[in-house]
Amino acid sequence: PWPDTVAIYLKGLVVGDPGEKRLVARMVRRTVIRYCLLAYILCIRQLSVRLKKRFPSMHELVKTGIVRADEAGRIGEEESSNIFSSNWWMPLKWSVEILNKAKQEGLVTSAPGYSHMLGRLSEFRARLSEVATYVYLPVPLVYTQVVHLAVYVYFAVSLIGEQWIIWRQPGDEEVDLYYPIFMTVRFLFIFGWLRVAETLYDPFGEDDEDFELNELLNRHFKVAMTIVDEHEDPPELSKDIFWNQVEPELIEHPELDVDEVVSAFKEDFMF
C-alpha cells in the first residue's frame, strides 16, 4: 500500500488557525503519517528479507527516528517471525486516537472529511493485512514439488516419445524430420512459465526480480512527509497560456522562454 492518499487527506483536512493551532496541526499530520510508515515497516519486515536485514530489531528503527524509544517500548521487541503475534497494527491505533483528539480540538472541522480520512486509514491497514496473509499463508510446498516433478517427467518421457520410429514398408515415404521442433517450443514455453512461477512464489526475496522495498520505503517516506508538511507555499495563481482558447492544443509555444523561466526558478529556490 502507498501512503500518498492518507497524506493528501491529512493535508487537506487537518488544518489550524495561524499560530499555535497551525503548529499542532502540522505535528498531527507528521505524526500520523510517521505512524503509518512505521506500521508499514513492522508488517513488511516480517516478510521481506531486505527490510529484515535493514531493520533487524527495534533498536535500528529507533536510531532512524521513525519511532521514539517510548513508542518502541510500547510496541515491544517484535522478534517473533509470526506475523499474527506482531503489534504492527498498534501505530495505526495511535493514529486514530490522535485524529479523534484533533477533531475534538477543532483541527478537523469537516465531519464527512473526518469519516473519509478514517476510511483511508482502514484501507491502508486492510492492504497491509492482505500482503501479510498472502505471504504468511503461501502455496503449500508439496504443490510446487508436484509441478516440478510433473514437468521434468513429462519432458523426460517426451525425449523418447517424440522420436520417429523407423518402420517403413516398401513404397512408404521417408521421414525427413530429424529434429523435434514442436517439443522444443513446448519446452521453452513450459520452463519459462515455471521460472516465472518460481519468481512470483516469493516476491519479497533478494533476487533482481523481487520488490526493491528499501527504495520503495525511502520514496514513501520522502513523498508522504513532503505532502503533509509546510515547507513552501504553492505556486502563484495565474492564468495559463491556454486561457480563452476554445480548442486548446498541447503543442510547443515559441514565445515561451523556457531557459529564462527555469533559471529564475532556480534562483528563487536556491539555498
Side-chain angles (χ1 to χ4, degrees), residues 5 16 24 31 34 45 74 80 82 88 95 97 105 111 126 128 133 135 170 177 205 222 227 234 245:
T5 303
V24 175
T31 303
R34 180 171 62 84
R45 189 174 71 100
R74 292 191 179 191
S80 174
N82 187 355
W88 65 265
S95 299
E97 294 173 348
E105 294 177 353
L128 284 178
T133 306
V135 178
L177 184 62
K222 177 181 178 181
I227 291 176
Q245 291 186 11

Side-chain angles (χ1 to χ4, degrees), residues 10-271:
L10 288 171
K11 181 65 174 178
L13 294 173
V14 182
V15 294
D17 298 330
E20 185 66 23
K21 279 198 171 183
R22 176 163 293 184
L23 180 62
V24 175
R26 180 187 178 191
M27 193 181 306
V28 168
R29 294 195 302 267
R30 292 179 62 89
T31 303
V32 170
I33 207 64
R34 180 171 62 84
Y35 283 162
C36 288
L37 294 172
L38 176 60
Y40 181 97
I41 295 173
L42 293 177
C43 179
I44 306 298
R45 189 174 71 100
Q46 304 284 341
L47 321 169
S48 171
V49 178
R50 302 189 185 203
L51 283 187
K52 189 67 175 178
K53 287 184 176 181
R54 183 178 179 181
F55 307 113
S57 65
M58 292 295 291
H59 180 69
E60 279 71 20
L61 286 172
V62 173
K63 289 170 63 177
T64 61
I66 193 69
V67 59
R68 300 197 308 261
D70 59 317
E71 297 167 346
R74 292 191 179 191
I75 295 173
E77 290 298 326
E78 292 289 302
E79 297 294 339
S80 174
S81 59
N82 187 355
I83 188 65
F84 297 115
S85 62
S86 172
N87 291 327
W88 65 265
W89 49 268
M90 193 172 289
L92 297 178
K93 170 181 173 291
W94 296 341
S95 299
V96 174
E97 294 173 348
I98 290 175
L99 291 176
N100 281 334
K101 185 178 179 181
K103 185 176 184 302
Q104 295 172 1
E105 294 177 353
L107 300 178
V108 181
T109 57
S110 173
Y114 174 76
S115 176
H116 284 291
M117 188 160 47
L118 292 185
R120 301 294 85 75
L121 277 175
S122 299
E123 288 179 4
F124 189 81
R125 185 215 60 83
R127 292 177 181 178
L128 284 178
S129 300
E130 288 178 1
V131 174
T133 306
Y134 170 78
V135 178
Y136 190 75
L137 301 175
V139 177
L141 184 61
V142 65
Y143 289 5
T144 62
Q145 294 174 343
V146 168
V147 170
H148 281 81
L149 181 63
V151 171
Y152 292 145
V153 170
Y154 171 78
F155 281 106
V157 174
S158 297
L159 188 62
I160 300 174
E162 292 287 341
Q163 297 181 15
W164 290 89
I165 301 178
I166 303 177
W167 182 262
R168 299 194 302 273
Q169 297 292 334
D172 289 347
E173 295 182 358
E174 293 187 3
V175 176
D176 57 355
L177 184 62
Y178 297 99
Y179 183 79
I181 298 176
F182 294 104
M183 189 189 77
T184 304
V185 174
R186 285 200 299 271
F187 177 85
L188 294 176
F189 274 98
I190 293 178
F191 266 85
W193 292 334
L194 192 62
R195 293 294 175 265
V196 171
E198 290 176 354
T199 302
L200 295 178
Y201 182 75
D202 184 18
F204 296 104
E206 291 186 291
D207 297 334
D208 294 336
E209 300 84 5
D210 296 331
F211 293 125
E212 184 53 64
L213 286 177
N214 285 323
E215 294 183 4
L216 191 61
L217 177 61
N218 293 337
R219 180 263 168 205
H220 288 340
F221 182 80
K222 177 181 178 181
V223 173
M225 282 296 189
T226 303
I227 291 176
V228 299
D229 214 336
E230 298 177 351
H231 291 300
E232 59 186 27
D233 295 329
E236 182 182 353
L237 190 64
S238 61
K239 296 181 179 180
D240 55 71
I241 195 172
F242 311 106
W243 192 266
N244 290 332
Q245 291 186 11
V246 180
E247 296 181 358
E249 295 183 6
L250 196 61
I251 59 176
E252 185 175 337
H253 296 273
E255 65 273 15
L256 293 178
D257 191 350
V258 180
D259 295 334
E260 181 180 349
V261 173
V262 172
S263 61
F265 175 82
K266 290 182 178 180
E267 291 176 359
D268 291 340
F269 290 91
M270 186 175 298
F271 295 97

